[in-house]
Amino acid sequence: MASTLSTFKSLRLNRVGRDFGRLNALKELDFSIERGEFVALLGPSGCGKSTALNCIAGLLSTTRGSIWLDETRIDTMGPEERGFGMVFQNYALFPHMSVRDNIGFGLKMRGVPKADAAKRIDQAIATVRLEAQAEKLPGQLSGGQQQRVAIARAIVIEPPVVLMDEPLSNLDAKLRLEMRQEIRRIHAGLGSITLYVTHDQDEAMSLADRIVVLRDGEVRQIGTPEDLYLRPARLDVADFMGFRNRIPGRVVARSGDHIILDVAGTEFAGTLRSSLTGDSAIAVVRPDDMSVGETGLAATVEACEYRGRHFFGSAKAPGGIELFFRAPAAYRPGTPVKLAADPSRVLVYEGATP
Amino acid sequence: MSDTPSEHVPLRLRLAAKGIDGVTLLVLPLVVALILLFVYPFLYGLWLSFRPKDGSLLGNYAKFFSDPFLYETVGKTLWLAIPVTVINLVVAIPVALRVRLMRRQRVLTTILVLPITLGTVLVAEGMLNYFGPQGWFNRVLLTALGPQGWFNGPLMDVFGPHGWFDQTLMMGPLMTAPLISGPLKLVHNYTGVLLSLVITGFPFTFLLVLSYLTGIDPALEKAAATLGAGPGSRFRHIIMPLLLPGLAVTFCLGFVQAYSVFPSAVLLGAPSGPTRVISIAAYEAAFEQYDYSLASAIAMIMGVTLLLVVIAVLGARTLVYRGPAGGGKG
Amino acid sequence: MRDVISPVRTLTDRIWVTFVWVVTGFFIVNLFAMIGTVIVSSLGTRWLGTWLPAGWTGNWYLSAWDEFQLGDLLTVTFEVVFAVVALSGLIGIPAAYALARRDFPGKRVVMLLLLLPLIIPPITYGIPLATVLYVTGLGGTLNGVILANLVPALPFVVLVMIPFIEQIDPRVEDAARVFGANTFRLFWHVLLPLLLPGALAALLLVLVRTIAMFELTFLTAGPGDQTLVVALYYAVFAAGVRAVQSIDAMAVVYMLTTLVWLIVALRFVNPTQMVTRGKQQQTDNG
């Protein structure tokens, strides 16, 4: 095995890249993860996050760069030599083996003595609460149960690194929330590295210590969930982190970070997050931070959806700008409103004039 | 492992990116076997066919198309293969349409797979007994419709001279003799070969049509029904267009089998007369005259004829829809 | 397929149903009667101009066993069949795996190469093949018969196995790798058990088809390496030389050898697969 759980310190990606023919699927992945960390690789589909995970697992060869576990280079090793644990998106359970045998597979490959293996399997089964299903075949289990088997199979070998490839994407919403907590709990108990691939920013933020945002095969930002939530470094990251309102405007005043834009004749204040060369910029705001007030951008309500404690409205401002906001009541379509946001919650990036 | 981070990509990885790795090499034995046992003999046969005994390039082909004993085999084979293929297909479609709705399809399909599995030689032996002049088939016919048959008297009373038609309706006798006066000659002639091709060919055609039919997403028919299409319209507008490409393939496969008829043409037909099919000519050339060159030429002519028919049918197929028969996602 | 719209019972519908049942019934009755004739004849003493033979006897089987050397024929038949099954399995299944899992330049050519021997009738390629085998000295030998029978058997195994392998999730193999299985263990613990049902089905089908394969064996076999079906052909061809009942006894023996394996095969496959070559695998039988 590449390294044992007790001694390793970090997993390091050194300018890793991967091409598929002409396609540059992964440009240059360069970061390291410390022991005990839970890192999420976040990005829209096709951004290269699964490619990255498969390269780390050894299921795909890299085209450039190297991957290191402490001082051992692992990208030249086969997947079976790396000793990682992996949870696949569709679980990839062995259909002909019982739950027990599935979980015990890694131990069997490692030649762990039977008695010891049995004990560890029991423990893993208990961790994922599948005692009653231990002798069943995967085909007889529900999606959530299969998911637990997949996790147990990955953790029972006590790997230095656990890789998870969108493990919750096939589950329904309620189960997804339950499993999140469980994954977090299991990670805390293991003390290894967990690298978690997802396209769901909620999932990434609630699980990870650090998030790596990928887009078009490139790292766009690495940071804590809070960093990303409050201070996305780039416009496309902001877009991905739920800043749905995109308001283009012209810069009229600026002092330090504080900036005032002119949006269709109305002044709109925000915080500058990037360098600025011209006078055109784009302000982004989360719908939750956009509220109806006495002043602000004039718009006409187009639709209003019930969201439990509040309403979620969409409106159209002059110039065709679409705005999403939090509404205290159900506005009828056609109602004129004024929409405003706290300048500290309005992020401004350099951008082209509309 | 080395500690120096080398950025060089080995050839193995570059090939793997193209899909060539150790696993791909597993195809090699297959390809070698097929080249040695199929492609090479075919090319050898083609080459041999242009090296006839008389030394000219096209001697064999000239001989084939000038000797009626040889060139007539093409017509005779087509005269068997085309009617058989059409009959099998025309009967198989309505039967398959109905069987597709059945719950216990498997019993029927198992029975029908029997003649295919047993093969033409066994079917020929069975037919010689069963359809022969002393066989059960002729016995039943004679017992029912022969001169002393059960139904002959009543039929004569109605349609015969002085019968009901003749006397009461004054329309004259429709029957002057029993329908069957002796055993029907069903083997050692054209009919025998035709029947044997139906016995082995119908199940084959039926099972193919059935598998194409069950491949059509039932949701499409339901959708059509909700849009107001009755059974007739559903068949015409949904099933038939989706089934046509499959029918074309079925026709081709059925035709190919019928065209290459051999043992039953010898055993059940008149192999020197009306059922002297092309494969008999090829076989005789090779194993009775030991003229492998002429035999190869006949085999090539056989292959070309098949190819022409298949191309014609599949060419017609491109005129119709030939995408997936499922709905939306495949 | 249970939920296809159930037919409305109209008059045309009833005529249709009646037609279908009459046609199928007529076909099946004649089929069974035909097979029945062979069996009855093989067990009868003398059968001329009557519904049933004058008496019953099993002696034709004994005489057929000696006359046709059925023991030798069965030995040769199974030597050929098992050699073909083993070789087509060893060459075909790994190739099917590669074709199902990899995309490589020239794959379409290989697929075409697989389809041709199944579409072109055996008598067409059998004559040039037999010529080549006779030229190389393999014609008229057991090995020649085995090689000739491989031509349709190999593509058949491959084309039945490809869809079967495709429905095995490749991620399962990835998982085995990640959890530490090397190539051998991946094969032994994961691939083999997953491939077994499909391989068994494909090989059983090849077995049944090879027993019944007449043309290729007929064209390539010498007098000492005839299989049962070829010997049966010669016996029927030379009818009059031997007693009909004796030939029928041989036909029954042939029928039994085929049917035993067919019954075994049908435990694993849908009868439709006998003709569709795996192209239209029905996944739901339930």
Side-chain angles (χ1 to χ4, degrees), chain B residues 94 98 101, chain C residues 7-24:
Chain B
R98 167 56 51 176
L101 307 172
Chain C
V8 187
R9 292 274 159 193
T10 59
L11 183 63
T12 40
D13 200 64
R14 286 197 184 165
I15 294 172
W16 181 28
V17 174
T18 317
F19 165 79
V20 165
W21 285 121
V22 167
V23 169
T24 346

Side-chain angles (χ1 to χ4, degrees), chain B residues 17 48 57 79 100 116 145-146 166 204 209 244 246 249 286 289 301 304:
Chain B
L48 197 64
L57 188 67
W79 178 236
R100 147 187 92 116
I116 302 176
L145 301 168
D166 189 15
F204 177 84
V209 173
L244 263 180
V249 172
Q289 298 152 25
I301 290 169
V304 169

